[in-house]
């Protein structure tokens, strides 16, 4: 080949290598990223050093004065600012725990900072605070410590070089209470907080933005798979940013150049327009602030947390157009309305704009295991009525992310309260089995369903990290039906909510998804209801969501069925009292035109009781001060309720003043006729009380009645109690034989003992007040009695008392009683225990082995029955080693069964043929004195020939609802007739549960919602045994002129008009259906 022109090189690659280039050591370059933003040894050289362009904290520019209210008082703004303030300074300490300190701050911006782009005031005392204007308007909350919001953007008006005054209300607790170290330990009373920062700063907004850019791109480098190009590019981008910053000596130009480099990976993320790309999102982010109404702080602090948290969100909405914030609990809105009216108006304006979104439809985020059925109804009734009256709309989604399991009847009650959607996530806490679904149809006992979504990120307090967005898809368990998820973000439990930093991170996550990919695309700007509407649309167009039937049992926190026993007792008694008040007040308002149905007083009591049913209150998982507050509130409730009962009885002319010719009378507030032997008030005598519904007769015994009870000592320490139904042999306090005489059947297996008190070591893995773990069963020890003695010898009642020593400080006295049989009524063996309890991490239970075999036991729940395994075949079965019941639990086989009744206990277990009722626990956290003290406990054994049926349902109610005995003169016929003017006939499975006045009757309404003409009575009926049941709602037209009957929902909206003829309305309910009827007069 000859000469010719030189050839142009085929590649720009130089012919000769300039220098050796090694492959980056991936792990080292990745670990290097932490140097750029950390507060460690390189903070003076990295991006942290460029965050602020100036600072002032001297007394000339930041003058601090303080007023410290005495006695842990929490004064209002007006009260606090009327006092004398004293000079103070940064570095000073303030306390003790739960105290309040008001700071008067005079701020003057230095000349050299006045023209800076962003001025902020930084305040950090590792605790919580609220900024107030000089004229008393709350502006925003402050949170020091780990979950920080310590900055307040200064108004432009502060740039004039003059002094400007505002106030900060400091609360001496951090956002999670006052625990030190271990979060749940009882808070020390003398914790002090040092004021670390009180500075004016000029913020370098580009440096702050680069910080978040780098954070999210760095997360991509850390969390994307190492075999993905997206991970490698993220790492290169981050290192390029660092190298640029170093080369520019941290100059502003280097920061701006760093932001340009970041845009190669995440695009332009400096506004809400990032969400307008039109690309389909998979993750829908919603801001939220979960504020536990009580937990590691009392109600008084919760009220301030609401103001601090929600004012912050209003501020963020003004700065971030995409921000949508959802918050539940009508009680919290009501507190805000009463205590912070200016802030409430601000929230209300945001609700109208659609950015602040009420949700949940309930009074509080309540426990759903322990409140009775009517309490669950009232949570929805009071919650929905509040939201409708204040904001013009009801909630469509039931929001309950943090409750310790979910009742099997919730889907039905949600639908009846106008909500077909349910959001939670708590089952992700299961510590045995993994719940298999994310989006599914949850089915109630009666067949009603709600569409349920559980956040795939498995939290309601996400911090909007890269990983939160990623997990919202990677942990999704229902992608066969739908591949989208809700991301619920914002500091929570102790409040706080989303921060600007979280919103900035989400913008970058969206930008990254659009520019680079791989990360699920997130969207801001929609509501939770928008999310569910899309799911419902899919259902309409053919998507079949998987179903889950029955309770959503949480495999954790099983000890909450028992902890803080006194609180649970108060709740049960209040529920019973409210039932009676509404029944008697309804009748009185219809009889006596001078008697005004006490709607406000009843509402006030209900709201207090519903408040105490919050999911960290009634379960027993709050600190000690919470239960002192509860005791005070319950005392107020019982006092107010007692007056309402007296007023209603007086209006019915039930004169309870004893005179020389007054008779002993009784009222039966339950909806069936009943009879039992009861002790005469202020007497040692017994009487046969029978009748009802309504008025009942009291027949005192003269001499020996036809039916008697007897007790005899068979040999030393062995006693036999007998009536027509049973022979009960008791040895050393335990029942060694229980014979059903008519069935000739022994119920106690040979060699075993019922009513045996047992104690267990109770040290869960961590959550003391919450948990009991399965291994506690391995530590079983029987209590040994010291003596037994006869208390009552008959003939109407026999009783045997046994004393047992638990320890040097604790003891139990249990009295076993057997009444004479009453014709036509079930008979039961009653136990009443008096307990002095001073234990540490122990669990007291009572056992009942019975000669019954079944693989399932039955437990009363709200308006129904849960059937649960008695075996441990699978891990799902074994996980239910401790479960919740209400008034009874039952183990039956074909032809016979045994029910265990109680008056305020909720923890139970049935393993094989051993039934076990939980009585008392002794956790030491978060309440260091939980359950310490004196207790009275009642429970009973109810054997029954035949299957579980209405006898158990009714006897358990009778056990909890004693007759109301009183001395009085003759009772007017009108009162007696009205008391039983509404009755339910037909299937005994039907229970007439509630009688009350219509919420919006014109003579009852409080004017919050439109009134309804005329008067009405609302009755609630449910099917109690699990099968279709027919009956008849019967009304005595002579005393109760009913014009029509409607079947309505729980909110008492207009419903289906029922056929009503000759005072009768036929009722047919499906299994476990709850039905509400309005009788229009």
């Amino acid at each position: 080949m000859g000469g010719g022109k030189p050839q142009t090189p085929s590649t720009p690659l130089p012919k000769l290598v300039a220098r050796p280039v090694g492959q980056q050591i991936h792990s080292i370059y990745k670990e290097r990223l932490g140097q750029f933003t950390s507060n460690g040894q390189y903070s003076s050289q990295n991006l942290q050093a460029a965050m602020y362009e100036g600072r002032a904290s001297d007394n000339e520019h930041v003058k601090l004065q303080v007023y410290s209210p005495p006695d842990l008082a929490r004064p209002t703004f007006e009260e606090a600012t009327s006092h004398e303030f004293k000079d103070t300074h940064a570095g000073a300490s303030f306390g003790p725990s739960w105290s309040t300190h008001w700071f008067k701050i005079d701020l003057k911006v230095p000349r050299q900072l006045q023209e800076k782009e962003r001025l902020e005031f930084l305040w950090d005392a590792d605790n919580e605070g609220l900024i107030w204007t000089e004229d008393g308007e709350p502006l925003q909350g402050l949170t020091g410590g780990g979950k920080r919001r310590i900055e307040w953007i200064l108004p432009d008006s502060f740039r004039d070089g003059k002094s400007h005054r505002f106030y900060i209300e400091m609360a001496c607790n951090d956002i999670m209470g006052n625990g030190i170290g271990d979060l749940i330990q009882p808070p020390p009373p003398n914790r002090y907080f040092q004021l670390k920062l009180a500075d004016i700063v000029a913020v370098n907004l580009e440096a702050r933005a680069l910080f978040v850019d780098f954070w999210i791109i760095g997360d991509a480098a850390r969390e994307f798979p190492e075999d993905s190009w997206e991970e490698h590019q993220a790492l290169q981008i981050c290192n390029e940013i660092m190298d640029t910053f170093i080369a520019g000596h941290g100059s502003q130009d280097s920061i701006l150049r760093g932001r340009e480099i970041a845009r190669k990976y995440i695009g332009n993320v400096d506004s809400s327009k990032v969400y307008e790309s039109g690309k389909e999102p998979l993750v829908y982010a919603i801001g939220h602030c979960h504020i536990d109404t009580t937990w590691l702080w009392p109600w008084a602090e919760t009220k301030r947390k609401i103001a601090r948290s929600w004012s912050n969100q209003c501020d963020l909405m003004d700065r971030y157009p995409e921000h949508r914030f959802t918050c539940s609990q009508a009680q919290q809105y009501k507190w805000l309305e009463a205590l912070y009216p200016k802030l409430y108006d601000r929230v209300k304006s945001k609700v109208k704009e659609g950015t602040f979104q009420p949700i949940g439809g309930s009074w509080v985020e309540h426990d759903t295991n322990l409140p009775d059925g009517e309490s669950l109804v009232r949570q929805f009734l009071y919650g929905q009525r509040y939201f409708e009256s204040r904001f013009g709309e009801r909630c469509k989604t039931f929001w309950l992310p943090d409750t310790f399991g979910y009742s099997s009847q919730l889907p039905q009650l949600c639908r009846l309260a106008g909500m077909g959607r349910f959001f939670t996530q708590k089952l992700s806490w299961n510590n045995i089995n993994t719940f298999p679904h994310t989006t599914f149809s949850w089915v109630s006992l009666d067949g009603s369903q709600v569409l349920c979504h559980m956040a795939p990120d498995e939290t309601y307090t996400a911090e909007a990290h890269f990983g939160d967005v990623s997990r919202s898809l990677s942990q999704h368990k229902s992608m066969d039906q739908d591949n989208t998820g809700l991301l619920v973000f914002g500091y929570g439990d102790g409040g706080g909510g989303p921060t600007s930093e979280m919103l900035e991170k989400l913008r970058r996550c969206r930008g990254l998804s659009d520019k680079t990919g791989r990360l699920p695309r997130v969207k801001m700007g929609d509501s939770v209801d928008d999310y569910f509407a899309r799911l419902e649309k899919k259902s309409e167009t053919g998507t079949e969501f998987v179903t889950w039937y029955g309770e959503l049992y949480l495999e954790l926190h099983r000890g909450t069925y028992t902890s803080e026993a006194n609180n649970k007792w108060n709740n049960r008694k209040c529920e019973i009292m409210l039932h009676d008040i509404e029944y008697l007040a309804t009748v009185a308002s219809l009889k006596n035109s001078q008697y005004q149905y006490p709607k406000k007083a009843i509402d006030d009591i209900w709201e207090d009781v519903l408040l105490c049913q919050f999911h960290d209150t009634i379960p027993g998982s709050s600190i000690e001060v919470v239960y002192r507050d509860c005791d005070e509130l319950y005392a107020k409730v019982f006092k107010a309720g007692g007056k309402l009962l007296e007023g209603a009885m007086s209006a019915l002319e039930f004169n309870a003043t004893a005179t020389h010719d007054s008779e002993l009378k009784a009222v039966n507030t339950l909806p069936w006729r009943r009879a039992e032997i009861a002790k005469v008030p202020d007497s040692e005598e017994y009487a046969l009380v029978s009748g009802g519904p309504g008025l009942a007769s009291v027949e005192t015994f003269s001499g020996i009645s036809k039916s008697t009870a007897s007790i005899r000592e068979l040999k030393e320490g062995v006693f036999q109690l007998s009536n027509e139904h049973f022979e009960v042999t008791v040895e050393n306090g335990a029942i060694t034989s229980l014979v059903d005489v008519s069935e000739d059947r022994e119920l106690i297996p040979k060699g075993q003992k019922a009513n045996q008190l047992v104690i267990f070591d109770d040290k869960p893995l961590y959550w003391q007040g919450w948990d009991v773990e399965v291994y506690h069963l391995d530590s079983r020890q029987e209590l040994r009695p010291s003596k037994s003695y006869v208390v009552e010898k008959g003939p109407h009642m026999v009783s045997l008392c046994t004393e047992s020593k638990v320890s040097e400080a604790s003891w139990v006295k249990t009295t076993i009683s057997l009444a004479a049989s009453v014709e036509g009524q079930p008979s039961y063996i009653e136990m009443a225990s008096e307990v002095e309890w001073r234990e540490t991490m122990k669990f007291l239970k009572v056992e009942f082995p019975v000669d019954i075999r079944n693989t399932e036991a039955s437990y009363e729940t709200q308006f129904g029955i849960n059937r649960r395994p008695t075996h441990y075949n699978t891990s799902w079965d074994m996980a239910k080693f401790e479960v919740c019941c209400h008034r009874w639990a039952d183990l039956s086989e074909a032809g016979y069964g045994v029910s265990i009744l109680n008056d305020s206990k909720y923890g139970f277990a049935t393993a094989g043929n051993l039934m076990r009722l939980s009585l008392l626990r002794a956790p030491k956290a978060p309440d260091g004195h939980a359950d310490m003290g004196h207790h009275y406990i009642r429970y009973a054994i109810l054997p029954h020939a035949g299957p579980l049926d209405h006898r158990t349902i009714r006897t358990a109610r009778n056990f909890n609802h004693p007759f109301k005995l009183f001395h009085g003169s003759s009772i007017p016929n009108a009162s007696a007739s009205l008391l039983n003017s509404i009755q339910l006939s037909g299937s005994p499975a039907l229970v007439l549960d509630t009688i009350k006045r219509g919420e919006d009757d014109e003579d009852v309404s409080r004017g919050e919602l439109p009134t309804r003409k005329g008067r009405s009575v609302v009755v609630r009926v449910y099917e109690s045994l699990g099968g279709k049941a027919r009956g008849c709602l019967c009304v005595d037209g002579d005393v109760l002129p009913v014009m029509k009957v409607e079947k309505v929902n729980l909110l008492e909206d207009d419903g289906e008009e029922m056929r009503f003829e000759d005072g009768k309305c036929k009722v047919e309910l499906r299994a476990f259906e709850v039905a509400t009827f309005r009788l229009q007069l």
Side-chain angles (χ1 to χ4, degrees), residues 713-833:
E713 189 168 11
L714 302 179
K715 59 182 180 180
E716 186 176 356
V718 181
F719 300 84
Q720 187 178 76
L721 294 73
S722 306
N723 65 11
E724 287 187 0
H725 288 105
F726 302 119
E727 291 181 351
V728 185
T729 303
V730 180
E731 184 174 355
N732 292 325
I735 298 173
T736 55
S737 173
L738 172 52
V739 176
D740 184 326
V741 175
S742 59
E743 296 292 314
D744 190 24
R745 177 164 182 156
E746 171 63 69
L747 300 178
I748 308 301
K750 187 175 181 180
Q752 297 189 38
K753 298 174 287 186
N755 193 45
Q756 175 63 59
L757 292 169
V758 288
I759 197 163
F760 300 85
D761 191 67
D762 187 16
K763 298 185 181 73
L765 296 174
Y766 177 66
W767 299 96
Q768 283 193 48
W770 295 257
D771 285 351
V772 57
E773 292 295 352
V774 65
Y775 53 76
H776 86 284
L777 296 171
D778 301 332
S779 62
R780 175 184 179 275
Q781 290 184 323
E782 295 182 0
L783 291 191
R784 302 296 180 185
S786 57
K787 60 179 177 179
S788 297
Y789 49 90
V790 175
V791 178
E792 294 183 276
K793 298 182 179 180
H796 314 301
M797 182 74 68
V798 293
S799 301
L800 177 71
C801 181
T802 299
E803 298 181 7
S804 302
K805 189 175 181 180
V806 181
S807 66
E808 292 301 317
S810 303
W811 50 263
V812 183
K813 290 182 182 178
T814 299
T815 301
I816 303 175
S817 299
L818 184 65
S821 302
V822 177
E823 186 175 355
Q825 300 293 313
S827 187
Y828 55 78
I829 301 94
E830 178 177 342
M831 276 65 69
S833 291

Side-chain angles (χ1 to χ4, degrees), residues 999-1038:
E999 290 291 316
D1000 296 308
D1001 288 357
E1002 57 188 357
D1003 66 324
V1004 167
S1005 170
R1006 299 174 62 189
E1008 295 176 326
L1009 292 171
T1011 58
R1012 181 181 298 278
K1013 289 185 178 180
R1015 300 187 297 169
S1016 68
V1017 176
V1018 171
V1019 299
R1020 198 145 12 252
V1021 179
Y1022 74 97
E1023 195 286 319
S1024 64
L1025 292 173
K1028 182 175 287 187
R1030 297 183 177 92
C1032 185
L1033 199 57
C1034 305
V1035 180
D1036 185 346
D1038 292 335

Side-chain angles (χ1 to χ4, degrees), residues 437-452:
H437 310 305
T438 293
T439 304
F440 59 98
S441 179
W442 181 24
V443 185
S444 194
L445 292 177
D446 78 312
S448 300
Q449 65 176 333
V450 293
L451 188 57
C452 180

Side-chain angles (χ1 to χ4, degrees), residues 401-417:
D402 190 30
T403 289
F404 312 148
Y406 300 90
S407 164
S408 52
Q409 285 288 51
L410 276 178
Q412 178 180 190
L413 299 181
C414 285
R415 296 306 293 259
L416 291 171

Side-chain angles (χ1 to χ4, degrees), residues 749 752 848-854 870 891 910-915:
Q752 297 189 38
F848 304 93
V850 292
D851 191 17
I852 304 288
R853 293 286 172 183
N854 200 325
T870 62
L891 182 62
T910 307
N913 69 332
L914 179 63
M915 307 176 77

Side-chain angles (χ1 to χ4, degrees), residues 20-275:
V21 178
Q23 183 174 1
Q24 287 182 358
I25 308 303
H26 203 73
S27 59
I28 292 176
Y29 277 79
K30 186 182 294 187
E31 191 172 348
R32 177 199 185 201
L33 303 187
Q35 292 183 0
F36 189 53
T37 54
S38 71
N39 281 310
Q41 61 180 326
Y42 302 118
S43 61
S44 64
Q45 300 293 312
N46 66 15
L47 187 59
Q48 292 289 348
M51 286 295 187
Y52 300 113
E53 299 175 326
R55 182 182 297 263
S57 59
D58 58 280
N59 193 54
E60 179 186 355
H61 297 102
V62 183
K63 182 179 180 182
L64 303 178
Q65 293 182 295
V66 66
Y67 162 64
S68 299
D71 303 322
L72 304 185
R74 295 178 172 90
T76 64
F77 175 87
E78 291 76 12
E79 293 168 344
T81 55
S82 68
H83 287 271
E84 179 184 355
F85 283 69
K86 298 180 180 180
D87 289 343
T88 189
H89 56 87
S93 294
F94 301 91
S97 308
W98 309 119
S99 63
T100 297
H101 304 269
W102 281 83
F103 292 83
K104 182 193 298 181
I105 302 171
D106 292 303
L107 212 66
K108 185 167 72 172
V109 177
R111 181 180 296 106
Q112 68 271 21
L113 299 184
Q114 290 172 14
E115 300 302 320
K116 297 295 185 180
E117 184 179 5
R118 167 74 70 80
L119 296 179
E120 294 179 350
F121 179 65
L122 303 186
W123 176 275
D124 188 1
D126 284 339
N127 56 19
E128 295 193 89
L130 180 63
I131 299 174
W132 295 77
T133 64
E134 191 173 12
D135 59 356
E137 181 177 354
L139 291 180
Q140 74 156 67
L142 296 164
T143 303
K147 299 180 179 181
R148 292 160 60 93
R149 178 170 178 169
I150 64 170
E151 76 283 355
W152 174 47
I153 300 174
L154 294 180
D156 286 342
S157 60
F158 279 39
R159 296 173 180 266
D160 59 4
K162 298 178 182 179
S163 180
H164 295 268
R165 176 171 292 174
F166 60 95
Y167 293 86
I168 292 180
E169 177 188 15
M170 175 194 282
C172 282
N173 52 268
D174 65 34
I175 197 168
M176 299 301 285
N178 265 314
I180 297 177
D182 188 341
L183 177 73
I184 68 169
Q185 292 306 308
N190 290 306
R191 186 179 178 188
Y192 279 74
F193 297 84
Q194 185 182 46
L195 177 57
K196 299 176 180 178
L197 272 180
D199 294 1
I200 302 169
V201 295
V203 180
N204 185 339
L205 291 178
E206 290 295 340
R208 184 177 283 178
L210 180 59
F211 180 93
V212 187
D213 293 345
F214 191 88
W215 186 348
I216 294 302
I217 301 171
D219 279 349
R222 286 181 285 268
E223 299 193 32
F224 277 157
E226 284 197 9
D227 62 357
S228 67
W229 69 265
E230 296 95 343
E231 186 266 356
H232 284 266
Q233 185 179 2
L235 185 58
Q236 296 309 307
I237 291 285
C238 286
N239 276 279
E240 185 179 356
I241 291 171
M242 292 180 70
D243 292 341
T244 300
F245 184 84
I246 292 168
H249 305 289
S251 67
Q252 191 68 9
D253 281 347
S254 71
I255 290 170
L256 293 172
R257 176 66 186 135
R259 294 218 66 210
E260 290 176 9
I261 297 167
R263 289 188 190 103
K264 293 190 293 185
Y265 199 82
I266 61 176
N268 188 338
V269 294
D270 288 343
S271 76
S272 61
K273 291 181 180 179
V274 70
Y275 295 107

Side-chain angles (χ1 to χ4, degrees), residues 553 558 561 859 868 880-885 906-909:
Y553 176 85
R558 304 167 184 88
Y561 313 143
Y859 304 85
R868 301 179 177 116
K880 296 180 179 179
F881 62 84
E882 180 87 0
V883 298
C884 184
C885 73
Y906 296 89
F908 208 92

